[in-house]
Amino acid sequence: MKPLTYPLEQLMTIKQNRFDQAVKTLEAKKLLLEQAKQKLTAAEKERNDVALHKTAKLTQLRESLDSGTTTDKIQQMKVYLKLVDEKLADKQKKVVEAQKQVDLAQKQVDAATQEVFQKKKDLEKLELHKAEWEKEMLYWAERKEGAEQDEQGSATHTMRKRQSDKRNKSSE
């Protein structure tokens, strides 16, 4: 008896390929998320450095005011502090933008993870169907084989009975 081929084998192959592709997509999205997190960390470090610089300059300005320096120097320090404030605001915008990128990448990773789970579930359903199909085919094959053996046994019995009846008639 030739082995049976599962009628949905091509569909199973397609589902497996889709699952593999979803896993690859998830890995790519995770890599993008990691890169976005690294950019966010770098932007936060730059912002924190500028904030520390601003704090140091503010402290220097207060000390200068306490020591009684000239008005020109104080004005110059205030102008420089405005530049530092602008730079700090710019760095803060970069941090916010980097955080948006991280959030977007996280959403993409979550979506890709859901897709992987869905593809895996589809594949598992098909694998369960295949196992059930194989059991059913085995059952029907055994049943058919049993019926053939019964038929063959019945034919053999009938033939032997006729031969026996012939011998009994010829011996009488």
Side-chain angles (χ1 to χ4, degrees), residues 55-94:
T55 306
K57 288 302 174 181
L58 277 173
T59 305
Q60 184 183 3
L61 175 63
R62 286 187 190 114
E63 289 173 358
S64 296
L65 286 172
D66 290 343
S67 67
T69 60
T70 64
T71 309
D72 289 344
K73 283 217 176 216
I74 291 173
Q75 289 300 322
Q76 191 178 20
M77 290 175 114
K78 284 184 177 181
V79 169
Y80 183 72
L81 271 174
K82 285 182 183 178
L83 290 174
V84 171
D85 280 340
E86 289 174 9
K87 189 173 182 182
L88 182 60
D90 182 49
K91 296 297 181 184
Q92 182 60 35
K93 285 180 185 176
K94 287 183 179 180

Side-chain angles (χ1 to χ4, degrees), residues 14-124:
I14 290 169
K15 296 258 186 206
Q16 180 66 45
N17 290 341
R18 287 182 181 166
F19 171 73
D20 293 341
Q21 186 61 39
V23 169
K24 287 178 185 176
T25 302
L26 176 61
E27 292 303 316
K29 298 292 183 186
K30 283 182 178 180
L31 182 63
L32 290 175
L33 174 62
E34 193 58 39
Q35 291 171 349
K37 283 182 178 180
Q38 289 173 355
K39 287 179 183 178
L40 175 62
T41 303
E44 287 174 339
K45 183 183 181 311
E46 287 178 13
R47 180 201 57 199
N48 293 341
D49 290 345
V50 171
L52 284 173
H53 181 68
K54 178 184 175 185
T55 306
K57 288 302 174 181
L58 277 173
T59 305
Q60 184 183 3
L61 175 63
R62 286 187 190 114
E63 289 173 358
S64 296
L65 286 172
D66 290 343
S67 67
T69 60
T70 64
T71 309
D72 289 344
K73 283 217 176 216
I74 291 173
Q75 289 300 322
Q76 191 178 20
M77 290 175 114
K78 284 184 177 181
V79 169
Y80 183 72
L81 271 174
K82 285 182 183 178
L83 290 174
V84 171
D85 280 340
E86 289 174 9
K87 189 173 182 182
L88 182 60
D90 182 49
K91 296 297 181 184
Q92 182 60 35
K93 285 180 185 176
K94 287 183 179 180
V95 167
V96 169
E97 185 60 36
Q99 184 62 50
K100 286 180 185 176
Q101 292 298 321
V102 167
D103 293 344
L104 177 64
Q106 184 63 50
K107 286 180 183 176
Q108 289 177 344
V109 166
D110 293 343
T113 302
Q114 286 300 322
E115 187 177 345
V116 165
F117 286 136
Q118 185 61 43
K119 301 290 183 190
K120 182 65 175 170
K121 193 164 76 171
D122 291 347
L123 187 60
E124 286 174 352

Side-chain angles (χ1 to χ4, degrees), residues 112-168:
T113 302
Q114 286 300 322
E115 187 177 345
V116 165
F117 286 136
Q118 185 61 43
K119 301 290 183 190
K120 182 65 175 170
K121 193 164 76 171
D122 291 347
L123 187 60
E124 286 174 352
K125 283 180 185 177
L126 205 51
E127 287 171 350
L128 286 173
H129 180 266
K130 181 179 181 179
E132 288 296 320
W133 178 84
E134 286 174 345
K135 284 181 190 176
E136 190 172 334
M137 290 299 108
L138 183 61
Y139 169 77
W140 286 110
E142 287 175 355
R143 210 165 156 196
K144 184 178 179 183
E145 187 177 315
E148 287 174 359
Q149 286 179 355
D150 288 347
E151 189 178 310
Q152 191 176 27
S154 176
T156 304
H157 174 71
T158 305
M159 187 175 73
R160 287 186 181 159
K161 188 173 180 182
R162 284 183 189 158
Q163 288 176 351
S164 173
D165 287 346
K166 280 185 181 180
R167 277 189 240 139
N168 285 341

